[in-house]
Amino acid sequence: MNLKENTERVFQQIKDASQQAGRETNSVSIVAVTKYVDVLTAEALLPLGVHHIGENRVDKFLEKYEALKDRNITWHLIGTLQRRKVKDVIQYVDYFHALDSLKLAEEIQKRSDRVVKCFLQVNISKEESKHGFSREELLELLSELATLDKIEYVGLMTMAPFEASSDELKEIFKATQDLQLEIREKQIPNMPMTDLSMGMSRDYKEAIEFGSTFVRIGSAFFK
Ligand SMILES: *Cc1c(COP(=O)(O)O)cnc(C)c1O
C-alpha cells in the first residue's frame, strides 16, 4: 500500500469529478474512512492533507479519537449508532452521519451539552437491510425533530445498494438531493440542510454529480 500515491489519486479523482459536474473542487469535503487501518496509518494521512476522519463504529472511533484528538482533525461518526452508546461518544463527534430515528435524536438531545451537526439518513431505495427514514416518514417528522436544539440538521445522508448500476445510483442520489432541497426550502429552525453525505469509493462520481458535499472514502485510500 502506497498511502501517498493513493491519497493523491483520491484527491485527483474528486477534483476531476467535481469539474465534470461543473462544481468547485473545494465544495466537496473528503472524509477518510479509517475503519480498515490502525492509528498510525490514519495519522500518516494528516501530513498528506487529510483533515476529515470518519469511523463507522463507536469503539474504533474512540480509539482513533483518543490517540489523535490534539491534531487538526474534524471527527465524523458515519455508521449506525445504538442509543445506549450515545453518551460514550457524542461529545467527541463533529459530524454524525447516520441519524435514523426520532428516538436516537431524542437521546442525542438528552446527552449532548453542545450542538452536534447531524445528517438525517434516508433510505431512498427502500432496501430492507438499510437504515434510514423513508421520504414520507421524514417529511412527517421534521417539525418534531426541529424542536431538538442540540442537533443542527446539516443535511441528508444516503447509502446506495452495493449492486446498483450507474443509472440506479443516479436515481438514488438525485432523489436524495431533491429531498434535501425540498426540506431546505421550508427554512425550518435548526435545519439548514446545506449538505449531502453521499458517495463512497465506488460511487463518489455519481454522488458528486448530484450535489454531494461530503464523500466518505475508505478502501480507495488503503488498497
Ligand atoms: C466503510 C464505509 C464507507 C467507505 O466505504 P469504501 O467503499 O471503503 O469507500 C462509507 N460509509 C460508511 C457508512 C461506511 O461504513
Side-chain angles (χ1 to χ4, degrees):
M1 171 172 94
N2 186 328
L3 200 60
K4 185 161 185 287
E5 260 176 38
N6 290 353
T7 302
E8 282 167 3
R9 192 181 50 244
V10 169
F11 282 16
Q12 187 63 46
Q13 285 170 338
I14 300 301
K15 189 176 170 189
D16 292 346
S18 305
Q19 278 173 355
Q20 272 177 38
R23 299 179 52 194
E24 300 282 343
T25 303
N26 64 12
S27 68
V28 183
S29 298
I30 302 171
V31 179
V33 179
T34 52
K35 65 187 180 190
Y36 310 104
V37 297
D38 59 13
V39 167
L40 282 178
T41 309
E43 186 174 18
L45 288 168
L46 305 180
L48 300 175
V50 170
H51 304 292
H52 295 273
I53 298 282
E55 282 285 338
N56 68 329
R57 287 182 43 175
V58 169
D59 53 346
K60 294 270 207 145
F61 178 98
L62 290 172
E63 186 192 334
K64 301 281 194 322
Y65 178 84
E66 213 25 68
L68 302 173
K69 64 185 171 198
D70 297 328
R71 310 293 293 271
N72 175 26
I73 295 171
T74 301
W75 291 94
H76 298 259
L77 183 63
I78 62 173
T80 307
L81 176 59
Q82 290 173 299
R83 263 184 287 158
R84 64 185 170 81
K85 292 196 176 167
V86 168
K87 62 180 183 313
D88 302 334
V89 74
I90 203 64
Q91 55 192 320
Y92 312 121
V93 174
D94 295 308
Y95 286 86
F96 173 49
H97 290 241
L99 184 45
D100 60 3
S101 74
L102 178 61
K103 284 220 153 73
L104 181 58
E106 287 169 343
E107 183 68 12
I108 293 172
Q109 173 74 17
K110 189 164 130 197
R111 299 291 185 175
S112 186
D113 51 15
R114 65 199 222 303
V115 175
V116 189
K117 294 180 192 302
C118 292
F119 289 91
L120 291 161
Q121 183 171 358
V122 292
N123 184 359
I124 292 288
S125 52
K126 296 200 171 146
E127 251 192 308
E128 285 289 334
S129 59
K130 288 266 187 327
H131 293 258
F133 298 100
S134 70
R135 179 179 181 280
E136 296 72 24
E137 260 173 343
L138 184 56
L139 289 173
E140 220 163 86
L141 284 174
L142 287 180
S143 51
E144 207 165 339
L145 288 165
T147 62
L148 307 175
D149 61 3
K150 296 283 173 50
I151 299 177
E152 182 184 355
Y153 300 91
V154 294
L156 301 182
M157 179 273 219
T158 202
M159 287 178 75
F162 190 76
E163 65 289 350
S165 68
S166 183
D167 283 345
E168 285 163 346
L169 289 173
K170 289 180 187 189
E171 223 172 275
I172 291 166
F173 292 147
K174 180 173 188 306
T176 307
Q177 183 185 39
D178 287 347
L179 184 56
Q180 175 218 12
L181 296 175
E182 182 180 345
I183 297 172
R184 186 159 87 194
E185 277 173 15
K186 295 178 189 286
Q187 301 191 358
I188 301 169
N190 306 331
M191 265 189 207
M193 276 289 144
T194 45
D195 287 291
L196 281 173
S197 171
M198 317 192 290
M200 321 195 340
S201 295
R202 62 188 144 81
D203 56 13
Y204 67 87
K205 225 175 164 169
E206 289 85 355
I208 288 172
E209 186 181 339
F210 291 98
S212 178
T213 58
F214 286 87
V215 289
R216 309 178 310 270
I217 308 284
S219 43
F221 277 104
F222 308 115
K223 62 188 178 192

